[in-house]
Amino acid sequence: MSEQDRQEDLALRLARLPPGRHGLPREFVARNQRDRLAAGMIAVVAERGLNAATIAGICAAAGVSRRTFYTYFSSKEECFLATYGTIVAYLRDAAAEASAEAADWPARVAAKLRTTLELFAANPDLARFALVAPQRAGGSVANRYRTVMSQAVGDLCEGMPGPPTTRAPSEAVAASMIGGMVALVVRKVDAGQGEELPQLLPELLELFLTPYLGREAAVAAAATA
Amino acid sequence: MGTSIHLNKNDILSDGRACTRGYPPPMASLPEHLRPSPVGRERLPREVVAEHQRDRILRAATEVFAERGYQGATVDQIVAAAHVGVGSFYERFENKGACFVAAYDRVAIAVRERIVAALAGDARWGERLVASLRALLTAIEASPAAARLALVEVHTAGPTALAHHERNLDEAAAALRAGRAKGDVAADLPPSLEFATVGGLSWYLQQRIAAGEAGEATALLPDLLEIVSEPFLAA
């Protein structure tokens, strides 16, 4: 693919970045140069990973100059971490909002997982950017990713009734389970099946709820989700 | 191992380390990979020397990759730590990435050998599971650098390294799956359960190792057992 084709391809994907209700708000892309840089970062990192991404490539995808890049960020990593922070906050807010009306804890977990999977399915680049790329980047970026995953465990466990309503496995179980769920999601994304991520919902729910509810109740909760 | 071929039985110290006959005393205190090549090696067959040097490079590379990260490590650092020339490095490895994959495979093979050695053929599935996890944690504790290479840095070293790692995880999932056939666990479990359990286990270990806890890894055995057994046994 020629350099010009590649840039047009990225531009095309940028144009598709905000698909309405299930994606980022349109103004996220167009509002200002900083947000355009974030969108460029997402597109380039989703395609090549952070280590192979270049500032020149990010600028080209964002349609801004190198000079503009350095107005906002001093390095590729800084731009990545800022963008990653924005995306993580966006995903957590969306999950919290979607689960606000749910009747009980298992229903809240279901709503959070469903919303996250739907957002990733509507824009698989986001899943590549937020779930696949950080771990493969290593260094401080991977450290940040590990912290964010611990927060995700906290978000899912939030409001859990605890004994005697739910079982009480050790914290290691929840901490490992998020890794198991991410492994299933990443396998689908790596296979180019990002659009099918919502199909994983019953499997992920059963996996996450079983240690807390026992198998029978977890299977029932997964079936009604 | 190539490192012990030039020694005889009497050269092994009581604690199992090879002694360094022929070196002046200060050399004896150096870690093995920092010592110069043994004198008289020209008497050894060429392939023995080559194997020795390859192993030496991979051991040094493991330390460098663990300390600097794959991205931060350079071939210069590896050859300096291994005390070999850049030419010797490139005779054996095309580049840094190929060296990483070889170092990863070396660690993975050693861990598998430990696990196989810990398994008693006629033990029940649950007992085999405990023995496997204990052997894995003992290996991590014995070499935190190798653990960091194989469970943390492997994700950052490109598609070939990742493919090798995923093949090993798939193999672990298949071994776990054998438990279903033994009738020790429920049969109507989700098909991806073993894959997710192994993914969760490696994620948990990655976090602990990244947090610098590899040196006390055997203390994690109860956690690991719970992680692996909960999804299967939760009543």
Side-chain angles (χ1 to χ4, degrees), chain A residues 51 135-136 138 145-146 149-150 167 169-170 172-173 175-176 178-180 183-184 187 203 206-207 210-211 214-215, chain B residues 71 152 155-156 162 166 189-190 192-193 195-196 199-201 203-204 206-207 210 223 226-227 230-232 234-235:
Chain A
N51 294 323
Q135 167 153 269
R136 294 179 187 173
Y145 173 73
R146 285 187 274 268
M149 285 300 121
S150 301
R167 301 167 80 246
S170 77
V173 170
S176 74
I178 192 81
L184 288 168
R187 183 168 65 167
E203 219 168 320
E206 183 181 336
L207 186 72
T210 294
R215 173 156 307 282
Chain B
Q71 295 296 330
V152 182
H155 296 101
T156 72
L162 205 55
E166 281 169 0
L189 298 167
S192 59
L193 186 60
F195 176 84
L201 198 69
W203 169 250
Y204 185 71
Q206 181 194 142
Q207 281 180 300
D223 279 355
E226 191 176 355
I227 288 166
E230 264 296 327
F232 295 91

Side-chain angles (χ1 to χ4, degrees), chain A residues 25-223:
Chain A
R26 184 164 294 279
E27 60 269 31
F28 180 82
V29 168
R31 198 175 61 211
N32 59 40
Q33 287 179 317
R34 200 175 194 280
D35 289 352
R36 277 164 62 179
L37 274 170
M41 187 82 190
I42 293 168
V44 173
V45 168
E47 183 181 304
R48 329 175 125 204
L50 181 61
N51 294 323
T54 62
I55 289 176
I58 294 161
C59 290
V64 304
S65 69
R66 269 180 90 88
R67 194 192 161 98
T68 303
F69 180 95
Y70 284 108
T71 309
Y72 293 103
F73 305 106
S74 64
S75 70
K76 184 174 76 170
E77 280 71 25
E78 192 187 330
C79 179
F80 178 90
L81 288 171
T83 307
Y84 184 61
T86 305
I87 295 301
V88 168
Y90 171 74
L91 293 170
R92 292 180 76 190
D93 286 352
E97 197 181 331
S99 66
E101 308 282 302
D104 55 14
W105 177 68
R108 277 198 293 281
V109 174
K112 285 171 184 170
L113 289 179
R114 182 188 299 109
T115 302
T116 309
L117 290 174
E118 284 175 355
L119 286 170
F120 284 150
N123 194 338
D125 272 4
L126 269 193
R128 285 188 202 96
F129 173 81
L131 285 181
V132 180
Q135 167 153 269
R136 294 179 187 173
S140 60
V141 167
N143 285 338
R144 176 88 191 109
Y145 173 73
R146 285 187 274 268
T147 306
V148 166
M149 285 300 121
S150 301
Q151 286 172 348
V153 173
D155 287 351
L156 288 178
C157 291
E158 192 184 7
M160 192 202 317
T165 311
T166 52
R167 301 167 80 246
S170 77
E171 286 177 16
V173 170
S176 74
M177 225 146 29
I178 192 81
M181 294 197 290
V182 169
L184 288 168
V185 170
V186 167
R187 183 168 65 167
K188 242 186 166 32
V189 172
D190 274 346
Q193 299 165 344
E195 291 81 2
E196 298 168 15
L197 283 174
Q199 294 172 10
L200 285 179
L201 181 62
E203 219 168 320
L204 297 188
L205 257 185
E206 183 181 336
L207 186 72
F208 188 79
L209 293 177
T210 294
Y212 299 100
L213 302 182
R215 173 156 307 282
E216 205 175 313
V219 170

